[in-house]
């Protein structure tokens, strides 16, 4: 606690402010004041986010302002909000923060590259939120904090208090409002901590293209020969799981930028799914759960305080947040060169996409814009059944510009740096969801190892008739029949039918982008082949 620091410039007069407090102090406050908070047997802080246990994308709003208006891709994702309504919600958050007995402030950085670094200030009401953001942002040294000055962007997290449903443009009691001109994000009606981190990501997604930098929803790691791999993918496709690879240094698990100099991580920590977590399958993540880690919405034994990672009675979206240095093999600082391999992860619940295939640059653009996965129970509220989803740039929910802006940047960079693009299906094999099963993690890891070891340089490929991908026919440590989806299906007719269905979903989805991209990219999409007629 400091006596000199205050928040009066925001109209907040709360006197007790814990700014960048130590982990033990945040533990003590959380345990004492936040209902349900407990310490796990290995020392993690187990916290509860309340009724929202995932992000609320439908409740995100962006203030329409003449300065930024022309850059924003307005629609269902970036829903416009007027300045006046923003101020109504802003004042509601400030009023709430003012009646709190004490507040937490996290002053920290987003972006490891000093050239593009933002100073972020989080103002929040819970020790859980402060510890979460201290894990997720890049923490300043004591000297950097002393010289911090004014932040570039401020997150006012009044999530413990609802939005007013009768405020214009509100469709629920939750509202996440981004104001690029005031450089503020206001959160009401959700205590899910992930909103803060993805809010900061949205800001980077707006700012970076202005400087010709590509912000990316991807994980990244680097091998012994300084070869960088980035792994794009929507929630649950394996970014965090597959980037934690003891053979390679982790750069980051979720948000990166690609500049003229190479790649940098936006964040200082990782946010791993904890569902079914086991030491055997994911040792690096399992062992990162210790004193300082925030465990969200997990269920534990009342006496032993041992977590049951298979228990999803609170949510399927249980999570662990820890600073990146809780992983053993990391790139520090989290900056590296240009990517050599670009992997698009998809979790195809239809079970028809090959588990690993090589893409042409045009196919890479096509699949980047499509952003296909099948959602099984995940991060977003209300999704419990699997369902095909297309989310441009593998993260449309966080993108602020039209997908073409990001796609152009990616295409330019792939071309300039001669990166190779791959599609890796971490989803179903042997049949669709319900019949088949999820690809074994050890097989997916072996396929990614093969990419890194250049094992696919000397193998035979077959062309996927409809999608046109090049599928390697052998891979070390993977049975060959697994590589060709059709071979894993007992019912070949069903395979053909389901594949046809998926091809049509791709074609339908891409129609909205056809006019805005060049012809080669449209042509790189799947074709409905005669062989698919059942
Ligand atoms: P988010 O954007 O929400 O952070 P993510 O892309 O980082 O999502 P992960 O946290 O890596 O996704 O989740 C992948 C989940 O799928 C993990 O729970 C992992 O154990 C499980 N899984 C099962 N089979 C595989 C596989 N073959 N490859 C990758 N992950 C798998
Ligand atoms: Mn992740």
């Amino acid at each position: 606690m400091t006596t000199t620091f205050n928040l009066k410039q925001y109209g907040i007069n709360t006197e007790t402010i814990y700014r960048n407090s130590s982990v033990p102090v945040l533990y003590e406050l959380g345990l004492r004041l936040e209902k349900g908070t407990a310490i796990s047997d290995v020392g993690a802080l187990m916290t509860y986010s309340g009724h929202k246990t995932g992000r609320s994308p439908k409740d995100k709003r962006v203030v329409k302002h003449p300065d930024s208006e022309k850059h924003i891709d307005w629609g269902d994702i970036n829903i416009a909000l007027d300045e006046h309504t923003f101020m109504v919600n802003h004042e509601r958050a400030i009023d709430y923060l003012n009646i709190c007995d004490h507040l937490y402030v996290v002053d920290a950085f987003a972006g490891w590259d000093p050239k593009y670094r933002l100073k972020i200030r989080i103002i929040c009401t819970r020790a859980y939120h402060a510890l979460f953001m201290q894990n997720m942002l890049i923490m300043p040294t004591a000297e950097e904090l002393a010289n911090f000055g004014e932040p570039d962007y401020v997150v006012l997290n009044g999530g413990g208090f609802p939005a007013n449903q009768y405020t214009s443009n509100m469709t629920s009691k939750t509202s996440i409002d981004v104001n690029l001109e005031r450089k503020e994000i206001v959160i009401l009606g959700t205590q899910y901590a992930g909103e803060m981190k993805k809010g900061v990501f949205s800001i980077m997604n707006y700012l970076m293209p202005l400087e010709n930098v590509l912000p990316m929803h991807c994980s990244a790691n680097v091998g012994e020969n300084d070869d960088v791999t980035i792994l794009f993918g929507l929630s649950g496709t394996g970014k965090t799981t597959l980037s934690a690879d003891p053979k390679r240094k982790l750069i980051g698990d979720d948000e990166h930028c690609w500049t003229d100099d190479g790649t940098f991580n936006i964040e200082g920590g990782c946010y791993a799914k904890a569902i079914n977590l086991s030491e055997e399958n994911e040792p690096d993540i399992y062992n990162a759960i210790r004193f300082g880690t925030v465990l969200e919405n997990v269920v534990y034994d009342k006496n032993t305080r041992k977590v049951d990672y298979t228990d999803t009675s609170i949510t399927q979206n249980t999570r662990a947040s820890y600073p990146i240095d809780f992983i053993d093999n990391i790139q520090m600082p989290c900056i590296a060169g240009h990517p050599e391999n670009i992997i698009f992860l998809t979790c195809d619940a239809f079970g028809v996409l090959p588990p690993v295939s090589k893409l042409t640059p045009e196919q890479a653009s096509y699949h980047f814009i499509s952003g296909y996965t099948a959602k099984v129970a995940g991060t977003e509220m209300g999704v419990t059944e699997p369902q095909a989803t297309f989310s441009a740039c593998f993260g449309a929910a966080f993108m602020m510009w039209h997908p073409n802006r990001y796609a152009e940047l990616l295409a330019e960079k792939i071309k300039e740096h001669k990166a190779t693009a791959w599609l890796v299906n971490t989803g179903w094999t042997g049949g669709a969801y319900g019949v088949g099963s999820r690809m074994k993690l050890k097989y997916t890891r072996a396929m990614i190892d093969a990419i890194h070891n250049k094992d696919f340089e000397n193998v035979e490929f077959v062309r996927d008739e409809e999608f046109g991908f090049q599928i390697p026919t052998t891979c070390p440590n993977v049975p060959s029949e697994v590589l060709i989806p059709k071979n894993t299906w007992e019912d070949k007719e069903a395979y053909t039918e389901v594949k046809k269905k998926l091809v049509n979903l791709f074609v339908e989805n891409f129609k909205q982008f056809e006019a805005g991209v060049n012809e080669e990219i449209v042509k790189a999409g799947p074709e409905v082949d005669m062989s698919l007629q059942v």
Side-chain angles (χ1 to χ4, degrees):
M1 205 200 326
T2 100
T3 44
T4 50
F5 186 82
N6 68 68
L7 297 171
K8 292 201 165 60
Q9 61 178 310
Y10 306 102
I12 300 170
N13 298 309
T14 306
E15 272 173 24
T16 307
I17 291 160
Y18 299 95
R19 181 183 184 221
N20 291 20
S21 294
S22 69
V23 177
V25 167
L26 293 174
Y27 264 56
E28 286 168 18
L29 288 160
L31 289 166
R32 189 150 51 86
L33 302 168
E34 294 167 26
K35 204 168 163 263
T37 303
I39 300 183
S40 85
D41 62 341
V42 295
L45 191 70
M46 299 186 284
T47 63
Y48 297 89
S49 65
H51 72 288
K52 293 273 180 174
T53 56
R55 286 183 300 101
S56 308
K58 292 189 180 71
D59 298 311
K60 183 180 152 191
R61 299 289 182 275
V62 181
V63 173
K64 202 167 204 164
H65 186 282
D67 291 352
S68 54
E69 185 178 352
K70 61 182 178 295
H71 300 313
I72 309 291
D73 185 28
W74 300 105
D76 295 347
I77 290 165
N78 294 307
I79 304 171
L81 189 71
D82 60 278
E83 177 76 26
H84 180 81
T85 309
F86 175 85
M87 291 312 295
V88 172
N89 283 347
H90 178 271
E91 182 137 314
R92 205 167 162 91
I94 297 290
D95 286 347
Y96 172 61
L97 295 170
N98 261 315
I99 59 164
C100 291
D101 168 71
H102 60 276
L103 294 172
Y104 302 86
V105 169
V106 178
D107 280 343
F109 304 113
W112 280 93
D113 186 335
K115 211 165 135 189
Y116 300 102
R117 173 168 279 191
L118 292 181
K119 292 190 281 182
I120 305 287
R121 171 165 293 165
I122 308 288
I123 303 174
C124 55
T125 63
R126 294 186 60 179
Y128 148 49
H129 289 156
L131 183 56
F132 176 89
M133 286 311 281
Q134 290 187 190
N135 286 345
M136 297 314 297
L137 291 170
I138 302 161
M139 291 308 284
T141 61
E143 197 193 336
E144 285 170 330
L145 186 61
N147 301 319
F148 197 79
E150 290 305 312
D152 298 314
Y153 286 82
V154 180
V155 177
L156 294 157
N157 188 346
F161 198 69
N164 187 328
Q165 293 185 79
Y166 299 103
T167 302
S168 53
N169 288 298
M170 295 298 109
T171 42
S172 80
K173 293 187 179 214
T174 300
S175 196
I176 299 107
D177 306 328
V178 180
N179 189 325
L180 295 163
E181 280 67 31
R182 283 182 61 98
K183 301 181 178 227
E184 284 175 342
I185 296 177
V186 166
I187 299 175
L188 290 171
T190 173
Q191 298 188 57
Y192 182 66
E195 296 286 7
M196 293 182 283
K197 101 171 196 102
K198 283 298 201 304
V200 173
F201 187 39
S202 294
I203 290 168
M204 289 296 276
N205 282 324
Y206 172 72
L207 294 175
M208 291 296 103
L210 294 169
E211 304 195 53
N212 248 11
V213 169
L214 173 65
M216 309 177 288
H217 187 217
C218 72
S219 59
N221 62 24
V222 53
E224 275 170 13
N225 305 321
D226 292 332
D227 61 301
V228 173
T229 292
I230 53 177
L231 301 103
F232 285 94
L234 287 159
S235 185
T237 57
K239 290 184 301 299
T240 301
T241 300
L242 298 167
S243 60
D245 175 344
K247 300 180 291 303
R248 300 171 63 82
K249 289 181 183 166
L250 180 65
I251 303 168
D253 82 324
D254 200 52
E255 306 170 3
H256 293 80
C257 291
W258 191 347
T259 71
D260 287 340
D261 304 319
T263 44
F264 71 84
N265 186 359
I266 294 174
E267 300 181 289
C270 301
Y271 193 32
K273 283 186 188 300
I275 184 172
N276 296 329
L277 187 64
S278 71
E279 183 164 22
E280 191 198 352
N281 284 334
E282 298 180 65
D284 299 273
I285 294 170
Y286 189 90
N287 291 314
I289 297 174
R290 58 176 92 147
F291 181 73
T293 298
V294 175
L295 268 177
E296 253 179 3
N297 299 320
V298 296
V299 177
Y300 57 88
D301 182 280
K302 285 214 157 45
N303 181 40
T304 63
R305 295 300 204 244
K306 212 175 156 50
V307 178
D308 179 358
Y309 290 112
T310 65
D311 192 325
T312 56
S313 56
I314 296 175
T315 175
Q316 301 256 353
N317 187 35
T318 54
R319 291 272 180 168
S321 143
Y322 45 86
I324 193 165
D325 61 10
F326 281 17
I327 297 285
D328 284 338
N329 200 12
I330 56 167
Q331 175 86 340
M332 190 50 68
C334 303
I335 308 178
H338 296 288
E340 196 172 304
N341 288 297
I342 297 175
I343 299 175
F344 298 126
L345 300 170
T346 182
C347 178
D348 175 28
F350 291 100
V352 295
L353 291 182
V356 60
S357 52
K358 194 174 171 178
L359 311 184
T360 64
E362 291 72 29
Q363 287 169 347
S365 291
Y366 180 90
H367 285 277
F368 181 68
I369 294 169
S370 296
Y372 166 71
T373 195
K375 226 171 250 167
V376 275
T379 310
E380 281 169 37
M381 304 294 295
V383 179
T384 49
E385 285 290 303
Q387 148 203 6
T389 40
F390 292 91
S391 176
C393 314
F394 294 100
F398 326 115
M399 301 301 150
M400 305 281 273
W401 297 65
H402 189 275
N404 286 349
R405 180 75 189 107
Y406 304 100
E408 276 165 16
L409 282 166
L410 182 68
E412 277 167 27
K413 287 176 187 297
I414 287 181
K415 207 169 140 199
E416 187 177 343
H417 303 287
K418 299 186 175 57
T420 308
W422 307 83
L423 184 74
V424 168
N425 174 13
T426 65
W428 268 253
T429 179
Y433 179 88
V435 177
S437 55
R438 185 125 189 225
M439 184 60 61
K440 284 197 172 79
L441 188 48
K442 69 171 182 191
Y443 290 164
T444 302
R445 289 199 204 278
M447 293 174 215
I448 290 175
D449 286 349
I451 292 172
H452 291 142
N453 298 335
K454 303 190 192 299
D455 290 321
F456 295 141
E457 281 183 6
N458 304 306
V459 304
E460 255 179 58
F461 285 83
V462 290
R463 186 176 176 277
D464 184 289
E465 287 299 325
E466 289 73 32
F467 284 93
F469 316 132
Q470 293 294 324
I471 310 172
T473 51
T474 60
C475 175
N477 303 314
V478 180
S480 287
E481 59 270 21
V482 171
L483 299 173
I484 313 290
K486 192 171 187 175
N487 297 345
T488 69
W489 285 56
E490 216 165 283
D491 186 344
K492 309 290 183 211
E493 246 174 62
Y495 167 83
T496 306
E497 199 154 344
V498 172
K499 191 166 191 185
K500 185 175 165 184
K501 189 169 150 189
L502 185 61
V503 166
N504 282 324
L505 289 172
F506 266 91
V507 171
E508 273 306 307
N509 172 68
F510 207 79
K511 282 184 181 155
Q512 61 184 306
F513 301 110
E514 274 179 16
V517 299
N518 64 42
E519 210 183 327
E520 285 75 65
I521 296 174
V522 182
K523 279 195 193 136
E527 288 163 29
V528 188
D529 193 82
M530 284 313 283
S531 66
L532 286 179
Q533 307 296 320
V534 192

